[in-house]
Amino acid sequence: MFRRLGVTITATATLLVLSSSLTFAATKKPQPPDKFPPNPLEITTPDPLRPRSPKDTRPLTSEERQTLEVALEELNQQAAAKLAAGDKISAFEIWNRELRLRRFLGQLAEVQALSRVGAIAWNANDRQEVQYITQRLQTVQKQSQTQKTADLEFLQALGQAYQQVRSPKLALAVYDQILASVRQQGDAASEVDTLKTIGLIHMGWFDYPSAAATYEKLLAMASTQGDRTNELLYLQQLAYIYEQAKQPENSLKVRNQLAKIYQNENNFTQLPDLKQEIATDYEALAKENPALLQEAFRNYQVAYITAWELQQYVRAGEILRKLIALYRSQGQVEEALQASQILLQAEQLSSNSYGLMTAYDQIGQIYIQRKDYPQALQAFKKGLEIAQQLKYDEEYFTQQIQKVSGQSQK
């Protein structure tokens, strides 16, 4: 009996131990795997190409430096060949080895190499490699700040490298340092170049408010220096930026400045496009302030008349279409018809058969709006004649003629 009892007690004890072990295993949280493997650019494993022991901190001799540069260029060529053959993994393994060794040539050489391979990684859509390179660039940047070795050439290379790996915030922080440095040195030319780079980065990432602020600074500098060429370029860039940012008020201000310059310099060739853009700005602003609608009409008219005088008949036709659309939106049917007759002349003078066909279609639609069906029918018939010549949209004009004929008989 006692033996049986002993067996029972032993079995119970075993079950208790197992139960507690299982409970412990269930409550113990599994360790999450590393999100990314270690950065291969930070590996410190000895390399046969390593010029010296890590403890030897003396600068490389010119002979050692040249030997290493030749070996690293060979690695670069090997990696490029692997990538061309479709072996992306092996290619970046070789490039990573090259990049680890580049640091022995100095921070500038390493950053330049990181920039080169970073651009390749981005184009190859290798996000992990781009991340490795970005992390290494940040490490080198911190080292340079600690060691106070970040000269202007290094900063420019670093800013370019951050651009290659598409890290605009990191790049802009570097270019802000460069800007402060060149301003301190009184280097106006470098200040302009740096601001241009900053402006392009903002535009590249669609940060139009920041881009506008940068180009406004450039414009102020050009105006102060009497640099008319760059003043015009910056005004044109600002007009584009404000248009993209949907800020017609600012766009209008800049474009009016441009118009004055063109007129003062008798540069009328640019005026038709510019006046049309000014009209478009007024049209957008008229939604909040209807009184500005007259300025939209006036600038469209100046735009097409100027284009006509310059014999830019295709351009005149495009502007007239916008003017006609605005007349129709305001219910000014008679004005729309008058402008349409001028449009027909513009399309004839530019030998634009397709434009002439669509002009007749537009005239037909305007006459329908007036319920003048005989005139609409005549316009659509003329449109059909051209459509038959072009062998295009014949069915459309035939349907319009049938529809209008039915209305005429009522």
Side-chain angles (χ1 to χ4, degrees):
M1 179 177 180
F2 286 106
R3 287 174 65 185
R4 289 180 182 174
L5 183 61
V7 170
T8 305
I9 292 169
T10 304
T12 304
T14 303
L15 286 169
L16 286 169
V17 170
L18 286 169
S19 176
S20 62
S21 298
L22 289 168
T23 303
F24 178 75
T27 55
K28 187 176 180 181
K29 292 182 180 179
Q31 293 297 319
D34 290 337
K35 190 173 182 181
F36 295 104
N39 189 334
L41 301 181
E42 302 294 351
I43 294 173
T44 56
T45 308
D47 191 297
L49 291 178
R50 191 169 185 163
R52 286 184 182 174
S53 162
K55 295 180 181 179
D56 191 344
T57 57
R58 290 175 300 157
L60 297 180
T61 65
S62 58
E63 185 178 350
E64 288 173 328
R65 189 177 184 88
Q66 186 175 4
T67 301
L68 181 59
E69 285 174 345
V70 170
L72 294 183
E73 183 52 35
E74 287 179 4
L75 288 179
N76 178 35
Q77 295 298 328
Q78 289 173 23
K82 289 284 186 184
L83 186 64
D87 188 354
K88 188 167 79 169
I89 293 174
S90 297
F92 283 108
E93 284 177 355
I94 297 170
W95 267 315
N96 287 338
R97 183 187 177 198
E98 179 212 340
L99 292 174
R100 288 194 296 270
L101 291 162
R102 282 282 174 186
R103 71 190 62 178
F104 294 103
L105 297 175
Q107 290 177 332
L108 176 61
E110 182 183 1
V111 166
Q112 289 170 337
L114 287 164
S115 179
R116 167 173 49 82
V117 180
I120 296 168
W122 178 268
N123 291 329
N125 199 28
D126 192 328
R127 293 186 179 182
Q128 193 170 63
E129 183 67 22
V130 168
Q131 185 180 23
Y132 292 148
I133 291 172
T134 305
Q135 288 171 350
R136 180 59 194 168
L137 284 168
Q138 290 176 289
T139 300
V140 177
Q141 183 179 9
K142 288 175 184 175
Q143 290 172 351
S144 72
Q145 291 167 345
T146 304
Q147 299 163 7
K148 297 182 179 179
T149 55
D151 61 11
L152 197 56
E153 187 179 10
F154 171 81
L155 287 173
Q156 287 169 337
L158 185 62
Q160 178 64 24
Y162 280 135
Q163 286 192 72
Q164 297 288 18
V165 292
R166 308 307 194 274
S167 292
K169 288 183 180 178
L170 295 172
L172 287 167
V174 173
Y175 283 112
D176 282 341
Q177 284 182 262
I178 295 172
L179 191 60
S181 177
V182 296
R183 279 175 174 167
Q184 190 175 11
Q185 295 170 14
D187 187 345
S190 294
E191 182 180 354
V192 168
D193 288 341
T194 306
L195 283 170
K196 283 181 180 178
T197 301
I198 290 171
L200 288 172
I201 293 172
H202 286 311
M203 286 185 65
W205 291 89
F206 310 107
D207 184 356
Y208 294 117
S210 298
T214 303
Y215 277 97
E216 288 285 4
K217 291 175 186 175
L218 285 164
L219 177 61
M221 291 174 69
S223 299
T224 302
Q225 295 164 5
D227 184 352
R228 183 52 58 85
T229 302
N230 278 318
E231 188 178 359
L232 276 172
L233 287 173
Y234 300 146
L235 282 168
Q236 289 165 349
Q237 193 72 290
L238 278 166
Y240 171 79
I241 291 168
Y242 285 131
E243 180 182 351
Q244 296 302 307
K246 293 181 170 47
Q247 297 179 13
E249 193 169 352
N250 288 327
S251 173
L252 187 60
K253 179 185 71 175
V254 170
R255 283 170 171 157
N256 277 324
Q257 286 179 259
L258 274 171
K260 284 180 183 177
I261 293 172
Y262 289 150
Q263 287 166 341
N264 290 338
E265 295 181 352
N266 294 324
N267 182 6
F268 299 113
T269 307
Q270 307 272 8
L271 273 178
D273 283 344
L274 187 58
K275 283 293 183 178
Q276 182 203 314
E277 289 161 354
I278 289 171
T280 304
D281 287 336
Y282 274 120
E283 194 174 346
L285 290 169
K287 292 174 184 176
E288 298 294 330
N289 183 2
L292 295 174
L293 202 57
Q294 289 308 310
E295 284 299 318
F297 281 122
R298 188 180 67 81
N299 278 279
Y300 276 131
Q301 289 163 354
V302 171
Y304 92 75
I305 290 169
T306 307
W308 194 287
E309 290 172 348
L310 293 168
Q311 297 184 351
Q312 297 177 358
Y313 300 118
V314 173
R315 195 75 197 91
E318 292 169 356
I319 298 165
L320 279 161
R321 289 178 189 281
K322 290 184 178 293
L323 177 60
I324 292 164
L326 184 58
Y327 278 136
R328 292 184 68 184
S329 72
Q330 299 303 307
Q332 298 183 29
V333 179
E334 291 302 323
E335 289 83 352
L337 277 173
Q338 290 173 17
S340 296
Q341 294 302 322
I342 302 170
L343 174 61
L344 286 176
Q345 295 176 51
E347 301 297 11
Q348 287 167 347
L349 288 167
S350 62
S351 302
N352 183 359
S353 296
Y354 178 81
L356 196 59
M357 180 186 73
T358 56
Y360 278 122
D361 177 39
Q362 189 171 54
I363 291 170
Q365 298 298 338
I366 295 171
Y367 277 123
I368 288 175
Q369 193 175 348
R370 283 183 59 186
K371 300 188 186 314
D372 188 343
Y373 300 114
Q375 291 288 355
L377 184 61
Q378 186 179 354
F380 288 130
K381 283 181 177 178
K382 288 182 178 178
L384 177 60
E385 289 175 14
I386 301 170
Q388 288 169 338
Q389 293 170 13
L390 296 174
K391 295 183 179 179
Y392 182 82
D393 264 356
E394 296 172 66
E395 186 179 349
Y396 167 78
F397 280 99
T398 302
Q399 289 173 352
Q400 293 300 312
I401 289 168
Q402 290 172 351
K403 195 182 297 183
V404 173
S405 297
Q407 291 290 338
S408 300
Q409 293 170 5
K410 288 182 180 179

